[in-house]
Amino acid sequence: MMHFKRLLLILLVFSTKYCVWAQVKLPALVADNMVLQQNAKVNLWGWAAPREKITIHLGWTNSPVAITADVNGNWKTAVDTPNGSDKAYDILINASNTISLRNILIGEVWLCSGQSNMFFPVGREDKTWKTGVKNYQEEVKNASFPNIRFFTVAVNAAQTPLEDVSGSWKVCTPESIQTFSAVAYFFGRDLYQKLNVPIGLISTSWGGTKAEAWTAQSVLEGDVAFLPILQEDAKNEKVYQEKLEAYYLGLTNERIAAAANAEKAQLKKPKKEANKTSYVLYNAMLHPLVNYTIKGAIWYQGESNSAKAYLYRSLFPAMVKSWREEWKQGDFPFYYVQITPHKGQNPEIREAQLMSLKTIPNTGMVVTTDLGDANNIHPIDKQTVGYRLALIARAKTYGENKLVYSGPIFNHMKIKKQKAQLFFDYAESGLKQNGEVLKEFEISGNDQVFYPADAKIEGKTIVVSSSKVKEPLAVRFAWKAIPEPNLFNNENLPASPFRTDDWEINSQKN
């Protein structure tokens, strides 16, 4: 009798384990309220028992999809989606269990990533943010867009690539929008109002993070130029471990002292900033997303890399390239924000971002020199940033061919006696200045000493000169940490800072 009871118990435990193990499970991204990319082959994926048979019923077609999990229980399939509309669909997944996904929309899906200026929420007002975005109370009040959905990836770091993230899809309401990325929301809202199709936004960002944290370990290890980053990480880890060892030694001595009624030391356990190390955010907050089909990505980051701006010239393009290789969707659109003026930044990081326009295919850059705050690295006008990102997407991704989406970008210079004539892209309709005189232009000769310059608009060009420079060699524009330039094109988009002298001259590589 005892033997029979033991056998029953073993069978019960085994069958319970098997049933739990055999349950089809889905990643957090594949859930109620999600938006799937229209007119595309989109991935659905998850986990099940090895070789388990799964049937997927899609609300927009009468043809079910059958798939079998592999020997490890992983499964993935690509399904065709129709045109986007405001019609909501359900998806039914049948296997040993049944999962019903409700209120699914078909539209345009964008990945939104970066550091704190991308994370900056629409409506939060607390010690961290001090205020929400400009006019945030009004923005929150008016944020009723049932066809805009968003997913915030919970912050996390990992030493090895993870399979899933934490988070859920939200319908855009005044209540839900308050803690969502402001730049992502305003970008998505502007697209929605122009395209009139549902918009899905996936925000994966974390304040104070460097580009290398969002880059795969294999990319960093595969380029000798990036190895010093990993060496510095190793050095910082060593210092942390030494501090931790000292802490525990002190804790031991403190308890010994306490037992002897001696005076205690005040010990503080060293803290480790989980998001500062290379590739840990890629592992935890990006790699788990790569199965999700997207239209493109927007990016707002660079402040934390400004101390190594020269390295950012190659690191940023390498990061973008690796993302595109992971997603296997070709060179999908990647639009980014040039960081705003701030006392803690330098012009070299904006230059690195400007140079990326030439080194990253299918990209675009938003200039923000007119939006900065010298004392606040988080300027509150996120509406304009989102609008300008949407301008790029509308022109380059969605075919508004006549739309001017960029401010003036320096193209080339011609020297005419004692004057320098500057030519620009994105100035076809003309240039303009806000104010009586053009500001932030400097000019130099062979001595490489730059003097404030007189600058005048002549047609679609700028003519620059100085009485102190008889033979001009180079011109710089807005070349400082906190410039206040006033040059725009006639579409009211600001010109990017630049310098015409060799990008290697006058600066020591960092």
Side-chain angles (χ1 to χ4, degrees):
M1 186 69 176
M2 182 66 67
H3 176 74
F4 179 71
K5 287 183 177 180
R6 184 177 298 174
L7 179 61
L8 280 177
L9 180 61
I10 292 172
L11 289 172
L12 178 62
V13 170
F14 176 80
S15 62
T16 301
K17 281 187 176 181
Y18 181 80
C19 288
V20 172
W21 178 46
Q23 295 285 313
V24 170
K25 295 181 181 179
L26 298 176
L29 271 174
V30 181
D32 295 346
N33 302 318
M34 67 179 172
V35 179
L36 296 175
Q37 178 61 40
Q38 67 174 337
N39 299 316
K41 284 190 174 296
V42 305
N43 294 317
L44 299 175
W45 76 99
W47 307 276
R51 300 299 186 187
E52 185 167 6
K53 297 185 182 301
I54 302 157
T55 304
I56 303 173
H57 300 271
L58 306 168
W60 56 88
T61 178
N62 293 323
S63 301
V65 177
I67 187 172
T68 301
D70 66 19
V71 293
N72 297 311
N74 300 309
W75 62 269
K76 182 173 76 169
T77 187
V79 301
D80 294 315
T81 54
N83 291 331
S85 72
D86 58 3
K87 183 177 180 180
Y89 299 99
D90 292 341
I91 296 176
L92 190 67
I93 301 175
N94 285 324
S96 58
N97 59 313
T98 298
I99 299 176
S100 297
L101 303 179
R102 307 295 187 187
N103 196 25
I104 311 302
L105 293 179
I106 310 294
E108 294 294 293
V109 181
W110 286 81
L111 182 75
C112 315
S113 187
Q115 57 181 112
S116 55
N117 270 306
M118 180 62 80
F119 190 90
F120 193 106
V122 174
R124 184 180 295 167
E125 184 175 359
D126 59 19
K127 293 180 180 179
T128 301
W129 303 105
K130 298 180 181 178
T131 179
V133 298
K134 183 177 68 174
N135 302 323
Y136 78 93
Q137 292 174 321
E138 193 70 17
E139 294 289 7
V140 167
K141 179 182 176 182
N142 295 326
S144 294
F145 295 99
N147 288 347
I148 297 177
R149 311 287 177 81
F150 47 82
F151 185 106
T152 300
V153 175
V155 295
N156 192 19
Q159 288 296 316
T160 57
L162 302 183
E163 291 186 334
D164 203 3
V165 297
S166 295
S168 61
W169 284 96
K170 306 290 186 184
V171 177
C172 182
T173 67
E175 292 73 31
S176 64
I177 198 59
Q178 294 191 48
T179 56
F180 186 65
S181 163
V183 167
Y185 166 63
F186 293 124
F187 166 78
R189 184 186 67 179
D190 285 6
L191 284 187
Y192 173 70
Q193 292 172 336
K194 291 295 181 181
L195 303 177
N196 197 29
V197 294
I199 300 294
L201 304 166
I202 302 169
S203 175
T204 181
S205 51
W206 195 341
T209 55
K210 298 179 180 180
E212 52 263 39
W214 298 97
T215 304
Q217 182 177 358
S218 60
V219 174
L220 298 173
E221 291 180 346
D223 191 324
V224 67
F226 303 147
L227 293 181
I229 297 174
L230 300 176
Q231 292 168 3
E232 185 176 353
D233 286 343
K235 180 180 178 181
N236 291 338
E237 177 64 21
K238 181 180 179 181
V239 170
Y240 168 75
Q241 292 297 336
E242 288 173 350
K243 289 182 178 179
L244 193 63
E245 181 183 7
Y247 166 76
Y248 285 123
L249 178 62
L251 199 62
T252 301
N253 293 336
E254 180 183 84
R255 290 180 178 174
I256 293 173
N261 295 319
E263 185 178 349
K264 291 184 180 181
Q266 295 297 317
L267 298 176
K268 289 186 178 180
K269 189 174 183 179
K271 292 183 178 180
K272 186 174 185 179
E273 295 182 282
N275 63 349
K276 301 298 185 184
T277 308
S278 297
Y279 59 79
V280 294
L281 303 188
Y282 166 86
N283 288 339
M285 298 178 65
L286 193 87
H287 180 267
L289 313 179
V290 298
N291 282 331
Y292 205 88
T293 307
I294 60 174
K295 186 68 172 186
I298 59 173
W299 172 259
Y300 195 161
Q301 189 273 342
E303 297 91 342
S304 291
N305 285 90
S306 62
K308 296 185 183 298
Y310 284 92
L311 188 58
Y312 198 76
R313 297 178 184 181
S314 53
L315 176 61
F316 180 39
M319 185 203 79
V320 176
K321 183 174 183 289
S322 70
W323 286 21
R324 287 168 168 170
E325 289 173 349
E326 281 271 22
W327 253 272
K328 295 180 174 61
Q329 292 183 217
D331 288 340
F332 59 74
F334 195 102
Y335 306 137
Y336 61 94
V337 182
Q338 188 183 53
I339 64 172
T340 56
H342 181 264
K343 62 185 180 181
Q345 300 301 305
N346 56 53
E348 285 83 3
I349 187 64
R350 285 187 284 272
E351 179 182 56
Q353 293 172 316
L354 175 63
M355 293 173 69
S356 295
L357 284 175
K358 294 184 178 180
T359 55
I360 303 176
N362 195 18
T363 193
M365 181 184 75
V366 168
V367 177
T368 60
T369 50
D370 58 332
L371 307 177
D373 184 332
N375 298 307
N376 185 1
I377 204 165
H378 303 123
I380 65 174
D381 184 358
K382 295 295 190 273
Q383 291 91 330
T384 302
V385 178
Y387 166 75
R388 290 175 181 171
L389 282 165
L391 271 183
I392 302 175
R394 288 166 54 196
K396 291 175 66 71
T397 304
Y398 298 110
E400 291 190 45
N401 296 324
K402 295 183 179 180
L403 188 66
V404 177
Y405 60 87
S406 173
I409 301 293
F410 172 73
N411 185 292
H412 67 281
M413 176 179 68
K414 290 182 178 179
I415 302 297
K416 294 184 176 181
K417 295 182 180 180
Q418 295 182 355
K419 296 182 179 181
Q421 188 174 20
L422 309 172
F423 295 79
F424 297 85
D425 296 325
Y426 308 104
E428 290 81 1
S429 65
L431 301 169
K432 71 176 187 179
Q433 64 196 51
N434 288 350
E436 294 183 2
V437 296
L438 275 175
K439 300 189 297 183
E440 300 290 355
F441 282 92
E442 298 174 294
I443 193 168
S444 79
N446 266 329
D447 59 0
Q448 298 182 11
V449 176
F450 283 84
Y451 299 94
D454 297 320
K456 294 182 180 180
I457 296 173
E458 290 191 6
K460 301 175 184 178
T461 69
I462 303 290
V463 176
V464 182
S465 64
S466 170
S467 60
K468 296 182 179 181
V469 179
K470 303 301 181 183
E471 296 181 2
L473 179 67
V475 172
R476 293 181 173 183
F477 170 67
W479 194 257
K480 60 178 69 169
I482 316 171
E484 296 181 356
N486 62 343
L487 175 62
F488 297 76
N489 57 17
N490 278 327
E491 287 77 18
N492 291 314
L493 297 172
S496 172
F498 65 90
R499 54 175 169 171
T500 68
D501 46 319
D502 189 324
W503 276 315
E504 306 297 337
I505 290 178
N506 299 331
S507 297
Q508 183 177 356
K509 284 188 177 181
N510 45 35

